[in-house]
Amino acid sequence: MKGAAPRIPRKKARRAAGVILGVEVGKASSYRRCRRARPSVGGAQLATRSETGEFLVAPDPGRAGLTRAVRGVDQTGAVQDIAVVEERPLTIYLNSREIVTAMTIGDYPEYLALGFLRNQGMLSDGDEVTGIDYDEELEVVVVRTAVVTDHEAKLARKTRTSGCAVGTVFGDMMAGLEGLTLPPATLRTSDLYALSQKINRTPSLYLEAGAIHGTVLCEGPRPLVYMEDVGRHNAVDKVAGWMFATGASAADKTLYTTGRLTSEMVIKTALMGIPILASRSGFTAWGVEIARQVGLTLVGRLRGQRFVCLAGEERLVRDADLASVADEPGKARRKGAA
Amino acid sequence: MKGAAPRIPRKKARRAAGVILGVEVGKASSYRRCRRARPSVGGAQLATRSETGEFLVAPDPGRAGLTRAVRGVDQTGAVQDIAVVEERPLTIYLNSREIVTAMTIGDYPEYLALGFLRNQGMLSDGDEVTGIDYDEELEVVVVRTAVVTDHEAKLARKTRTSGCAVGTVFGDMMAGLEGLTLPPATLRTSDLYALSQKINRTPSLYLEAGAIHGTVLCEGPRPLVYMEDVGRHNAVDKVAGWMFATGASAADKTLYTTGRLTSEMVIKTALMGIPILASRSGFTAWGVEIARQVGLTLVGRLRGQRFVCLAGEERLVRDADLASVADEPGKARRKGAA
């Protein structure tokens, strides 16, 4: 599968043209019920359908093919069937050029492809996408543009594996930060706590099977688009693909991630134009440094009522009554999607 | 910095020739005291020097340059100085060829370089390494071999960022698994619990600053080499570099990781010849599948007395008295190095 884009028989391919990609903006079209009885998190009941209905794209832990039951034995010798997330290759083409093979859980391949290309600087917001062909059997997605650029040459063929940003482009991404100024924005601490609570209570692949990362695009107190994947970069790329496809504004958004606030996460968020990045996890020094340089607000270690803001504190509006924010029960703590 | 290896003035370079690299096998030469008072984990006092003395390479959270104090504000508006891990580039050359730039915390650059090259199939166990030059200022390490092979051509220039396996080689790695048979070995559950307890109680960068991964090479109940880094692949590569440099045997070892048991982790462990891989974290379906194909024992979700074994159960010897194994207190749970 090198060189020319694979010929995908039209009847096999799921073809999405333009910017809608089959997702109706304004409703949680992909939401289905959990297969299991709704579990509780730290004693708190998970959100109900009407609550998660505020998502435009909600996690879909019950979707066929995202998890698999695998049989093992526990410490007592008892047989256990546990739900394990899938990890499968998806090869992304830009026009006739093979760009990358990403390891992914497999949902939203079109968004993953668009967002990957956008975040690697191979698609610009002004570029016209004339078609996206996804072939589930071949595990290939082809993004076609009206004007064929030389962006395709930016990458030699390589595979991006879970939790991994492809690197050649890293230097270019840093260059893209020069002169970037993120817009002013406001982060109300009351919104931050509301987001954290809603996201933690949302039925997700993480709660179903663990070993997975989540990224959520938020606006004020409302989580809009909740993507999950084996690698945190895929999850962010899917959000970026959704934004590219729907033409969503970035200046009024907050990006929430379950992963660490490393340099790549900060760079991606800044290049997406989003002024605020929040996480349950910690920081790296370079992540903080870049955030300060580009004026990104960085909130980490967000658990219960606690958080630390290491960059862009001027956007914080401390309107929450801390006494009314419950500290996080031990059971609700996210563990180990490392 | 393309093409020819940079000329490193000899007085600047830390030069290591042969296989010893300045680490005396048999003692914890890199171990120093924590800078902070010894914290407790879930009420359990951390290990003392005499206990961590059994490591050949112990974590060194107090080493200058691995963390930085960064000032921020917490939810109450109070100023906080928190320790944050460094993340810096290290460019690895093989002879005159630039291979990769890895994002790393910066310790053990020689092991990281050797292990990266070994795990990518660009160095074989039989290859003679004639020198390793590390230049801290240039952030470059050059590995020189007696016979210059064509392995250098395997990779185009690219950057590996945190949590990331460089991908082109991924296909090759899968190919390397064909015909691989891991040796028989025994995993006593009493050893597994002993390892888990010791590793969790060892002073580490994770306990100092969070947001970091650990990988530990173990033999029976004894953790030998404990490496940490921003990406779990770097941590594994450092262990592989240590094994390459010291000629350590693999067949009698267990590899412990704080990260998820994904396909790449399983492949790396198998290619290193280690028959047992254990983790606090969960699994991906493909990770389990590959482990079963190559006969690797896979133990995950190892917390307190609980674990699940999803592959290679025949190596388990259930000699632990579960009643005597304490379940893990909530506070000791590792969170969020995702």
Side-chain angles (χ1 to χ4, degrees):
Chain A
M1 250 184 326
K2 281 178 191 164
R7 287 173 193 277
I8 300 180
R10 284 291 174 267
K11 67 178 189 305
K12 268 173 61 181
R14 188 166 91 198
R15 189 176 172 85
V19 293
I20 300 305
L21 292 177
V23 173
E24 286 178 68
V25 176
K27 57 185 276 200
S29 62
S30 76
Y31 185 81
R32 293 183 222 164
R33 287 197 172 279
C34 267
R35 278 181 299 187
R36 301 194 302 193
R38 185 172 295 142
S40 73
V41 181
Q45 191 72 9
L46 285 190
T48 60
R49 173 67 194 264
S50 66
E51 289 174 283
T52 61
E54 71 176 321
F55 283 97
L56 300 179
V57 180
D60 188 4
R63 182 190 287 203
L66 296 188
T67 61
R68 193 194 301 184
V70 177
R71 179 156 292 189
V73 289
D74 72 7
Q75 70 278 4
T76 67
V79 170
Q80 280 206 350
D81 287 312
I82 69 173
V84 171
V85 290
E86 287 291 349
E87 190 190 2
R88 62 182 92 233
L90 177 73
T91 301
I92 298 171
Y93 278 75
L94 177 55
N95 297 310
S96 62
R97 176 89 186 199
E98 180 178 340
I99 302 294
V100 78
T101 299
M103 297 303 303
T104 171
I105 55 172
D107 64 348
Y108 303 109
E110 295 95 343
Y111 287 146
L112 178 56
L114 276 181
F116 176 85
L117 295 171
R118 163 67 177 74
N119 280 345
Q120 297 295 333
M122 287 184 275
L123 270 184
S124 303
D125 288 341
D127 288 343
E128 187 193 343
V129 173
T130 54
I132 304 177
D133 290 324
Y134 168 57
D135 189 288
E136 191 173 348
E137 205 177 307
L138 295 180
E139 297 175 321
V140 160
V141 59
V142 182
V143 175
R144 300 180 204 276
T145 54
V147 178
V148 176
T149 70
D150 63 352
H151 291 311
E152 293 92 328
K154 276 200 177 178
L155 277 180
R157 178 174 176 270
K158 62 189 65 160
T159 302
R160 186 171 69 149
T161 49
S162 85
C164 160
V166 174
T168 313
V169 191
F170 194 71
D172 296 352
M173 288 173 77
M174 285 294 284
L177 292 180
E178 277 170 36
L180 178 73
T181 311
L182 289 166
T186 293
L187 175 61
R188 294 182 192 283
T189 54
S190 60
D191 288 351
L192 193 62
Y193 291 130
L195 287 173
S196 174
Q197 280 224 345
K198 286 176 193 170
I199 291 168
N200 288 339
R201 292 177 64 225
T202 300
S204 64
L205 267 179
Y206 175 74
L207 292 177
E208 175 87 6
I212 200 154
H213 282 285
T215 299
V216 190
L217 183 71
C218 311
E219 188 178 317
R222 185 181 173 200
L224 299 179
V225 175
Y226 189 150
M227 295 291 191
E228 296 184 281
D229 212 315
V230 279
R232 60 204 150 96
H233 292 283
N234 286 353
V236 179
D237 286 350
K238 285 182 198 165
V239 169
W242 182 88
M243 292 177 75
F244 184 93
T246 59
S249 62
D252 56 347
K253 301 294 191 296
T254 293
L255 198 66
Y256 176 99
T257 170
T258 59
R260 290 172 292 159
L261 301 168
T262 58
S263 54
E264 322 127 350
M265 291 297 286
V266 168
I267 291 170
K268 280 199 174 191
T269 308
L271 290 179
M272 286 162 73
I274 299 175
I276 301 162
L277 177 60
S279 173
R280 300 177 59 76
S281 292
F283 309 84
T284 67
W286 201 16
V288 173
E289 211 170 289
I290 296 172
R292 288 177 176 178
Q293 281 172 20
V294 301
L296 179 83
T297 295
L298 212 57
V299 173
R301 298 189 180 180
L302 173 61
R303 288 169 189 171
Q305 60 174 233
R306 285 177 300 166
F307 68 80
V308 188
C309 178
L310 290 192
E313 199 218 346
E314 70 281 358
R315 290 197 183 84
L316 280 188
V317 174
R318 296 174 183 284
D319 68 335
D321 174 11
L322 288 181
S324 74
V325 180
D327 220 342
E328 196 170 83
K331 273 188 183 172
R333 287 185 190 143
R334 198 183 165 95
K335 297 173 289 287
Chain B
M1 253 185 319
K2 282 178 188 163
R7 286 172 194 276
I8 301 179
R10 282 294 174 266
K11 66 177 191 306
K12 270 174 58 183
R14 187 166 90 200
R15 188 174 173 85
V19 294
I20 299 304
L21 292 178
V23 173
E24 286 178 68
V25 177
K27 55 184 280 198
S29 63
S30 77
Y31 185 80
R32 290 183 226 165
R33 288 198 170 281
C34 267
R35 278 181 300 186
R36 302 195 301 195
R38 185 170 296 143
S40 73
V41 180
Q45 191 72 10
L46 284 191
T48 61
R49 173 69 194 263
S50 65
E51 289 175 282
T52 62
E54 70 176 322
F55 283 98
L56 301 179
V57 180
D60 188 3
R63 181 189 287 204
L66 296 188
T67 61
R68 193 193 301 184
V70 177
R71 180 155 290 186
V73 289
D74 72 6
Q75 70 279 3
T76 68
V79 170
Q80 280 207 349
D81 287 310
I82 69 172
V84 172
V85 290
E86 286 291 348
E87 189 189 4
R88 61 183 93 232
L90 177 73
T91 301
I92 299 171
Y93 278 75
L94 178 55
N95 297 310
S96 63
R97 175 89 188 201
E98 180 179 340
I99 302 293
V100 78
T101 298
M103 297 304 302
T104 170
I105 56 172
D107 64 348
Y108 303 108
E110 296 94 344
Y111 288 145
L112 178 55
L114 276 181
F116 176 85
L117 295 171
R118 162 67 177 74
N119 280 344
Q120 296 295 335
M122 287 185 276
L123 270 184
S124 302
D125 288 340
D127 289 342
E128 187 192 343
V129 173
T130 55
I132 304 178
D133 290 325
Y134 167 58
D135 188 290
E136 191 173 347
E137 206 179 306
L138 294 180
E139 297 176 320
V140 160
V141 61
V142 183
V143 176
R144 301 181 204 276
T145 54
V147 178
V148 176
T149 69
D150 62 352
H151 290 312
E152 294 91 329
K154 275 201 178 177
L155 276 180
R157 180 173 176 272
K158 62 188 66 161
T159 302
R160 186 172 69 147
T161 50
S162 84
C164 160
V166 174
T168 313
V169 192
F170 194 72
D172 296 352
M173 288 173 77
M174 286 294 286
L177 292 179
E178 276 170 36
L180 178 73
T181 311
L182 288 166
T186 293
L187 174 62
R188 294 183 193 284
T189 54
S190 59
D191 289 350
L192 192 62
Y193 292 130
L195 287 172
S196 174
Q197 280 223 346
K198 287 176 193 171
I199 291 168
N200 288 338
R201 292 178 63 227
T202 299
S204 64
L205 267 178
Y206 174 74
L207 292 177
E208 174 86 7
I212 200 153
H213 282 286
T215 299
V216 190
L217 183 72
C218 310
E219 188 179 317
R222 186 181 172 199
L224 299 179
V225 175
Y226 188 150
M227 295 292 192
E228 296 184 279
D229 213 316
V230 279
R232 62 204 148 97
H233 292 285
N234 286 353
V236 179
D237 287 350
K238 285 181 199 166
V239 169
W242 182 90
M243 292 178 74
F244 184 93
T246 60
S249 62
D252 55 347
K253 301 294 191 298
T254 293
L255 198 65
Y256 175 99
T257 171
T258 60
R260 291 171 292 159
L261 301 168
T262 59
S263 55
E264 322 127 350
M265 291 298 285
V266 168
I267 292 171
K268 280 201 174 191
T269 308
L271 290 179
M272 286 162 73
I274 299 174
I276 301 162
L277 177 59
S279 174
R280 299 177 60 76
S281 292
F283 309 84
T284 67
W286 201 17
V288 173
E289 212 170 286
I290 296 172
R292 288 176 176 178
Q293 280 172 21
V294 300
L296 179 83
T297 295
L298 213 55
V299 172
R301 301 190 178 179
L302 173 59
R303 290 170 188 171
Q305 61 173 230
R306 284 176 299 166
F307 69 80
V308 188
C309 179
L310 290 191
E313 199 217 345
E314 69 281 358
R315 290 197 184 84
L316 280 188
V317 175
R318 298 176 183 281
D319 67 335
D321 174 13
L322 289 181
S324 73
V325 180
D327 219 342
E328 195 170 85
K331 274 188 182 172
R333 285 183 192 145
R334 197 184 166 96
K335 299 173 287 287

